[in-house]
């Protein structure tokens, strides 16, 4: 008896974009697969991009992590001061996202916050189970990288708004700028702002950025790239 051999689909070639490795997959993979790939490849940050493409970025530089931790610390103190409202997540907090046209992503911003209303609207299993969040956060912070193109950074931030984010900050310590994204408005770019407000989304939040700009200047003055 002859046994037919099932053809194995050929894996498409990876595409190296600016600051990101994009790998088209022959079939969709689960949240658990993404987590497993991340765990098996330390030093890489793995996300699901458009059309099931696996996107991998080298983990952040020292300045990037320092900036993220500084902002995270201030967000944590604000959250405690206002009564621990909502949920704060670091860069391991990944969200399964979808817009009205059916575009999907599984992304992990550097920092994010989920309002009590969005959190409580989920089932108990979705709130407390394993895997990714099946919702969009209200607020995200992305810390820019010197290897990313301006077009890629802006496109990512605009997609966050399409998925339902109410306020987004792109903090670029290398260029010493902050771009603020709000639904229905053009991005607002600020040069070396001393503080940022949570506006009507994170009420009473004010983040002090002065130390971040000082660290950025110190890195720029060194002969080697950080």
């Amino acid at each position: 008896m002859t046994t037919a051999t099932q053809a194995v689909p050929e894996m498409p070639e990876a595409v190296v974009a600016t600051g990101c490795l994009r790998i088209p997959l022959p079939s969709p993979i689960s949240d658990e697969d993404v987590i497993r790939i991340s765990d098996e490849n330390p030093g890489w940050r793995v996300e699901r991009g458009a059309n099931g493409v696996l996107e991998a970025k080298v983990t952040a530089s020292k300045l990037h992590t320092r900036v993220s931790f500084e902002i995270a610390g201030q967000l944590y103190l604000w959250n405690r001061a206002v009564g621990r409202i909502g949920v704060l997540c670091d860069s391991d907090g990944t969200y399964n996202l979808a817009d009205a046209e059916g575009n999907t992503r599984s992304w992990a911003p550097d920092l994010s916050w989920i309002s009590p209303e969005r959190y409580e609207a989920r089932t108990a299993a979705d709130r407390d189970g394993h895997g990714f969040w099946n919702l969009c956060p209200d607020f995200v912070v992305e810390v820019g990288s010197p290897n990313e193109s301006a077009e890629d950074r802006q496109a990512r931030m605009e997609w966050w708004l399409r998925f339902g984010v109410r306020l987004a900050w792109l903090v670029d310590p290398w260029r010493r700028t902050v771009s603020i994204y709000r639904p229905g408005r053009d991005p607002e770019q600020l040069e070396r702002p001393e503080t940022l407000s949570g506006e009507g989304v994170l009420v009473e939040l004010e983040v002090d950025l002065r130390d971040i700009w000082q660290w950025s200047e110190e890195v720029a003055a060194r002969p080697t790239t950080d």
Side-chain angles (χ1 to χ4, degrees):
M1 182 176 67
T2 303
T3 302
T5 302
Q6 184 178 1
V8 177
E10 182 178 351
M11 177 69 76
E13 292 186 1
V15 177
V16 180
T18 305
C20 181
L21 179 67
R22 293 191 172 97
I23 309 169
L25 300 177
S27 60
I29 62 173
S30 67
D31 296 356
E32 291 73 18
D33 288 332
V34 176
I35 294 171
R36 177 181 55 79
I37 292 170
S38 297
D39 290 343
E40 292 176 355
N41 293 274
W44 289 87
R45 178 175 172 181
V46 179
E47 298 178 320
R48 270 194 307 253
N51 303 316
V53 170
L54 199 67
E55 298 181 344
K57 300 178 183 179
V58 177
T59 50
S61 70
K62 294 186 287 295
L63 179 59
H64 186 290
T65 56
R66 194 177 184 187
V67 169
S68 295
F69 193 80
E70 171 66 24
I71 298 174
Q74 295 190 48
L75 286 172
Y76 174 76
L77 293 175
W78 162 80
N79 194 251
R80 288 190 62 182
V82 297
R84 298 183 184 273
I85 61 172
V87 177
L88 291 169
C89 295
D90 62 11
S91 59
D92 286 330
T94 302
Y95 298 88
N96 288 326
L97 306 162
D99 68 4
E101 285 73 45
N103 298 294
T104 61
R105 306 285 192 277
S106 294
W107 278 354
D110 289 302
L111 300 167
S112 56
W113 177 77
I114 306 167
S115 68
E117 295 77 16
R118 290 193 182 182
Y119 179 75
E120 294 297 336
R122 313 306 299 179
T123 65
D126 193 26
R127 291 198 303 265
D128 304 321
H130 298 289
F132 299 162
W133 292 98
N134 292 310
L135 55 79
C136 180
D138 296 76
F139 168 71
V140 300
V141 179
E142 297 277 19
V143 179
S145 165
N147 297 322
E148 295 174 313
S149 70
E151 293 77 12
D152 284 349
R153 289 197 305 271
Q154 181 170 343
R156 183 178 174 95
M157 301 306 290
E158 290 175 349
W159 273 108
W160 277 120
L161 297 183
R162 289 185 61 172
F163 290 128
V165 163
R166 298 162 56 202
L167 178 66
W169 297 345
L170 173 59
V171 180
D172 191 331
W174 285 268
R175 297 168 181 83
R176 303 181 190 90
T177 62
V178 174
S179 297
I180 304 175
Y181 290 78
R182 310 173 180 91
R185 297 170 59 178
D186 291 334
E188 178 184 7
Q189 182 167 303
L190 306 174
E191 294 187 6
R192 295 178 60 108
E194 292 189 355
T195 61
L196 289 176
S197 166
E199 303 178 9
V201 180
L202 297 87
V203 179
E204 299 181 19
L205 172 68
E206 186 171 284
V207 173
D208 191 327
L209 303 178
R210 287 174 292 182
D211 284 345
I212 289 174
W213 308 135
Q214 180 179 338
W215 301 336
S216 174
E217 290 178 351
E218 292 171 356
V219 170
R222 294 173 189 156
T224 56
T225 301
D226 193 1

